[in-house]
Amino acid sequence: MTPVRLLHILPQVGPLGATRGVITTANELARDGAFSHVIASLTPAAPAFRSFIAARGLPFIDAREEIKAAISEADIVHARYWNSPAFFEFWSTQLDPMRLLLTSNVSGRNAPQYAPDDVLALANTTIASSGVSAQELALRAPRPVRLIHAAADFSRFNELPAIRKGRGTIGAMMALEEAKAHRGIYTLLARAARDAQAILGGEGAMLAEIAASARAEDNIKIAGHISDIEKFFKDVDLFAHPLAPHSYATSEASVHEAMYAGRPPILLAGRGPVDLIAPGLTGIVAQDENAFVEAARHLAQDGETRAKMGRAARDFATETLGPGPIAAQHRALYLEALERPRTAVAPLKARSGAQALLHAFGPESDDLLSLMGQLTRAERPVSALPLRWIAPSSGGILHYRRHYPDDRDLRAWAALSFEKMGRPAMAAMERRAL
């Protein structure tokens, strides 16, 4: 039997997050030979990322014309969305008819990772990767939204860490960016670790500020980038994951991994993958910051309760979040898609530069324009500029500025962004180029 040909199109590829989830699911589906897969990146991939994908046995392409040709050969095209200039550029071109599925790998409700209505109208089927995202996208998508969490790559564990009952160490690990992490993540951990220890892993724009404010009496080890996931979870006993109110987080591989490791997660209500948590059974969903701190402090001290939750979390992750269960959900969706004919995909309206960024910001575009005018006229200080709008690598001003270097508005906004970041030399360079 000829395998079903699947083309996965991502805005860009990397060693973590969405890329790892796509690869994990694809390899699981390829086991019985019923599906073949090609991974495509709309942004040219670095050699290290090419090697990462090649080592996992999947064909990879990143040339636009090659991707367009692959669309005509594919039985199903499965696109992934997050705000990237490359995504909007590619899907604003005329393409051959296809059976198109679209997964949003972001919550889609706040800039910089908003999901515009025209993006939600692209595909025959729209998929959300968290319950919070599914609720948001269902309000605006023209067709029903499906929910499938991203698959976790549990092969990163050679062995599962023991579940301990003594006094516990609090672990936290995430991208330390204002568009994702709670602005007060360090303070929350310091309060929770008053009678315990905590380890904070991750990197991003917030890391320097966190490191500068660290005090020995806070009992927090700042670990930076975590490459050895297994060791991290062996060193901690519960997983504190405070996301920002406007966070773009959805499935959160680190939460999946924490549950698989038997480390009960603590999340804030209304953010990220809270639908994965059975409150009080496999983890805690805290209603506010005070409840979050109290839950982390309690679980650090109550080893019996923590161990019981950890075992339940591990069972849930094993049965629900691994490659097998997630691939089964995708298989059903792909077979359903095959029953439909290929159809034309209406291109997005072509935009570039500042206009493209404003479109991607959705309802916050007017606020962005207004603030930039006020900052330019010195009516407000640059401290008023939200860091999440700057987002150098995740759909913000500096991301678009790099992609459209000749756009004067983006250069002017980049200058203000660099001032906000405390980089006056870079701000001056942007202004000289205007």
Side-chain angles (χ1 to χ4, degrees):
M1 182 179 71
T2 303
V4 176
R5 296 166 297 184
L6 271 153
L7 174 64
H8 304 270
I9 304 179
L10 288 74
Q12 63 190 63
V13 295
L16 300 173
T19 303
R20 188 177 285 274
V22 170
I23 291 172
T24 299
T25 303
N27 278 327
E28 183 69 21
L29 283 169
R31 286 181 183 275
D32 63 4
F35 295 86
S36 66
H37 304 266
V38 174
I39 309 295
S41 172
L42 299 177
T43 305
F49 296 162
R50 287 177 169 274
S51 299
F52 173 80
I53 295 171
R56 283 148 183 83
L58 292 168
F60 174 75
I61 54 177
D62 62 0
R64 294 283 178 93
E65 292 307 313
E66 194 173 359
I67 296 171
K68 289 180 180 180
I71 285 175
S72 65
E73 299 173 359
D75 296 306
I76 297 171
V77 176
H78 191 164
R80 270 70 177 186
Y81 171 76
W82 58 87
N83 179 14
S84 165
F87 178 93
F88 289 98
E89 277 187 350
F90 183 79
W91 292 104
S92 66
T93 59
Q94 192 70 49
L95 302 168
D96 287 345
M98 67 189 87
R99 300 180 184 94
L100 178 62
L101 284 70
L102 176 77
T103 290
S104 174
N105 285 98
V106 292
S107 62
R109 57 183 177 175
N110 296 105
Q113 290 300 338
Y114 181 73
D117 292 357
D118 56 355
V119 169
L120 299 179
L122 272 176
N124 305 114
T125 302
T126 301
I127 305 159
S129 48
S130 77
V132 170
S133 179
Q135 292 173 9
E136 165 64 26
L137 302 185
L139 296 174
R140 297 184 286 110
R143 288 173 286 278
V145 174
R146 309 292 186 90
L147 170 60
I148 303 180
H149 286 274
D153 182 9
F154 295 148
S155 68
R156 301 176 80 188
F157 291 88
N158 291 313
E159 61 177 344
L160 289 175
I163 296 175
R164 299 179 287 250
K165 295 183 180 180
R167 177 176 291 187
T169 297
I170 302 167
M173 175 179 57
M174 67 172 71
L176 296 174
E177 302 285 352
E178 196 179 65
K180 186 169 190 178
H182 192 290
R183 195 74 183 86
I185 183 172
Y186 183 87
T187 301
L188 293 175
L189 287 178
R191 291 172 58 194
R194 190 174 59 197
D195 300 312
Q197 300 289 324
I199 299 174
L200 172 59
E203 55 188 347
M206 291 167 56
L207 181 58
E209 181 181 335
I210 288 171
S213 65
R215 305 177 305 171
E217 58 265 34
D218 290 335
N219 300 325
I220 300 175
K221 174 186 176 182
I222 300 176
H225 174 69
I226 302 291
S227 58
D228 190 339
I229 295 298
E230 184 178 304
K231 182 181 184 306
F232 173 80
F233 284 113
K234 284 181 177 178
D235 290 341
V236 305
D237 299 283
L238 63 145
F239 191 64
H241 202 66
L243 295 163
H246 46 251
S247 178
Y248 61 80
T250 53
S251 277
E252 291 298 85
S254 59
V255 174
H256 296 193
E257 291 163 342
M259 298 181 82
Y260 185 64
R263 276 45 183 166
I266 305 171
L267 277 70
L268 283 162
R271 311 169 201 186
V274 290
D275 54 309
L276 292 179
I277 309 300
L281 297 176
T282 61
I284 302 291
V285 178
Q287 294 305 307
D288 56 33
E289 284 80 1
N290 289 333
F292 183 93
V293 169
E294 185 55 37
R297 185 181 295 162
H298 172 71
L299 284 188
Q301 302 301 322
D302 186 350
E304 291 288 342
T305 298
R306 188 182 68 242
K308 184 177 179 180
M309 280 189 185
R311 287 190 291 270
R314 177 174 290 177
D315 289 344
F316 173 80
T318 301
E319 296 168 4
T320 310
L321 301 177
I326 300 299
Q329 295 178 62
H330 280 96
R331 178 189 294 271
L333 211 56
Y334 292 152
L335 294 177
E336 179 184 313
L338 284 173
E339 297 177 359
R340 300 190 296 265
R342 291 180 174 86
T343 57
V345 175
L348 303 177
K349 180 180 177 180
R351 300 175 175 87
S352 64
Q355 291 304 310
L357 174 67
L358 290 169
H359 173 66
F361 266 44
E364 292 184 70
S365 60
D366 288 343
D367 294 335
L368 173 63
L369 270 178
S370 175
L371 180 59
M372 288 303 167
Q374 293 169 353
L375 296 180
T376 301
R377 295 187 297 270
E379 295 172 359
R380 296 182 69 182
V382 291
S383 59
L385 178 58
L387 278 172
R388 65 184 175 93
W389 285 359
I390 297 173
S393 60
S394 53
I397 292 167
L398 293 185
H399 189 175
Y400 275 74
R401 153 66 186 87
R402 285 200 307 271
H403 197 84
Y404 299 107
D406 298 324
D407 188 281
R408 290 181 59 83
D409 286 330
L410 288 177
R411 276 196 176 274
W413 299 350
L416 295 166
S417 299
F418 283 125
E419 284 186 2
K420 162 74 174 188
M421 298 168 69
R423 301 174 67 181
M426 293 297 294
M429 286 178 61
E430 293 292 342
R431 290 196 171 97
R432 283 198 296 270
L434 288 173

